[in-house]
Amino acid sequence: MRLCVLGGTGFLGRHFCERIQARGLSATTISRNPDQAFLYARAPRVSGLTLGSPEAAAALKACDVLVHLASTSLPGIGWNDPSAELASSTLPEVRFLQDFCRDNPRARIIHASSGGQIYGPGHDRPIPDTSIPAPTTAYALGKLMVEATLSLLSAAEGNLITILRIANPIGRWQLGRRHGFVTTAVQAGLAGKPLTLYGSGTNVRDYFDADDFADFLCELAFASTARAGTYNIGSDRGLTERDVITIVSRVTGRPLDISTSSRRPYDLEYALLDSQRARRELGWAPATSLETSILKIRDACFTP
């Protein structure tokens, strides 16, 4: 099976490429600037190609499965400026997917989308993947438009598409990149620096280990059969920021110094996903506790 990974040297992509290597599998990762040093050291069975090169175009046309992990946006960047989001991130992605599906209509696509941001505000219990999306940020609107584009392309070209609405993965390859709250808290505690809390610290989120997700992706991507649809991916365990701070302090043995700031307009009060359907139909089974994930991040902070 010929597997291509879009964004294979980003945060989730690095975990995925390591798992491909550990299982003795092979793949091609394609990105704007693939980290060849990482691939050479950690995943030599994964080749890195530059998006737009003739070699990348040939690999995409020949691949059987495309795992789409690339993202160029964040919820808080231009959150109320949809025209900028669509121009800089959404439309280039739509063009890429349109060209890919027309060139390779037999390929399966596994697409990583956004979890809570797509569903928007107003929830107070686990959100099933059948909930009606209600994006309130440009980022979420763009993600939903890409999902709709994939549905259209599937109907027009025949590609089998699995969309994964992902909650909040955490892992060691977040370091030096776009830090999530857990990783930021661990680094702040180890460095003895204050952690900024926006609002009251009662926003509920859903965290899971990136290595668990990478294992799941390997099973999903290399499976002989596939299932189309849209699925939530999370731990089904809701924690507030205050809960996370308590756990990080206990696990690392470093009390956190907290500074507070006003609530940001794009932060959702509740974003806990119901991922039971992914467990039943796709075999999603997160096994790593938050405490163990924190220890892995802590150890990575001391690893050059």
Side-chain angles (χ1 to χ4, degrees), residues 5-289:
V5 185
L6 201 66
T9 54
F11 162 46
L12 287 177
R14 289 174 182 244
H15 289 269
F16 185 36
C17 287
E18 284 185 328
R19 282 302 188 268
I20 291 171
Q21 177 70 29
R23 291 179 177 222
L25 303 169
S26 60
T28 299
T29 181
I30 298 169
S31 58
R32 290 180 177 85
N33 186 26
D35 188 338
Q36 301 289 1
F38 165 81
L39 295 173
Y40 179 80
R42 310 287 300 195
R45 296 182 64 90
V46 179
S47 60
L49 299 176
T50 302
L51 184 64
S53 69
E55 295 81 7
L60 289 167
K61 194 168 185 177
C63 83
D64 300 302
V65 179
L66 174 69
V67 176
H68 188 331
L69 301 176
S71 181
T72 59
S73 183
L74 288 170
I77 297 177
W79 69 273
N80 60 349
D81 189 355
S83 62
E85 176 71 21
L86 298 182
S88 65
S89 181
T90 308
L91 289 179
E93 188 170 0
V94 165
R95 292 189 191 100
F96 168 84
L97 291 169
Q98 179 174 295
D99 290 343
F100 175 80
C101 290
R102 287 178 177 174
D103 287 344
N104 194 348
R106 62 179 177 74
R108 287 197 289 125
I109 300 174
I110 301 170
H111 175 67
S113 188
S114 172
Q117 281 287 328
I118 272 187
Y119 295 116
H123 301 278
D124 59 5
R125 62 188 63 188
I127 307 166
D129 42 35
T130 53
S131 293
I132 297 173
T136 56
T137 63
Y139 167 86
L141 176 63
K143 292 294 185 184
L144 188 59
M145 289 184 68
V146 170
E147 289 188 10
T149 297
L150 284 168
S151 296
L152 184 154
L153 291 171
S154 177
E157 307 296 343
N159 301 82
L160 190 149
I161 295 168
T162 306
I163 294 171
L164 306 177
R165 289 179 176 165
I166 299 171
N168 296 278
I170 59 175
R172 64 195 179 284
W173 291 116
Q174 265 177 328
L175 296 174
R177 297 177 177 273
R178 303 169 179 179
H179 299 170
F181 183 73
V182 174
T183 303
T184 301
V186 173
Q187 288 190 298
L190 295 177
K193 296 181 178 179
L195 173 70
T196 301
L197 196 59
Y198 296 94
S200 62
T202 58
N203 294 326
V204 176
R205 295 291 182 269
D206 181 0
Y207 303 96
F208 62 88
D209 194 276
D211 286 329
D212 287 345
F213 182 67
D215 281 326
F216 165 71
L217 266 187
C218 277
E219 295 294 337
L220 194 62
F222 288 96
S224 57
T225 59
R227 188 185 289 263
T230 300
Y231 296 86
N232 287 341
I233 301 295
S235 68
D236 298 302
R237 178 191 182 191
L239 295 170
T240 67
E241 292 108 330
R242 294 284 182 184
D243 293 333
V244 170
I245 289 167
T246 298
I247 296 170
V248 168
S249 296
R250 173 168 51 81
V251 171
T252 62
R254 304 286 184 92
L256 284 165
D257 179 20
I258 306 300
S259 65
T260 58
S261 185
S262 58
R263 181 180 177 275
R264 299 173 297 192
Y266 52 84
D267 284 333
L268 298 173
E269 294 182 3
Y270 187 95
L272 170 59
L273 304 185
D274 179 346
S275 60
Q276 292 303 307
R277 193 165 71 93
R279 292 173 184 260
R280 293 193 307 270
E281 297 182 10
L282 301 182
W284 165 240
T288 306
S289 68

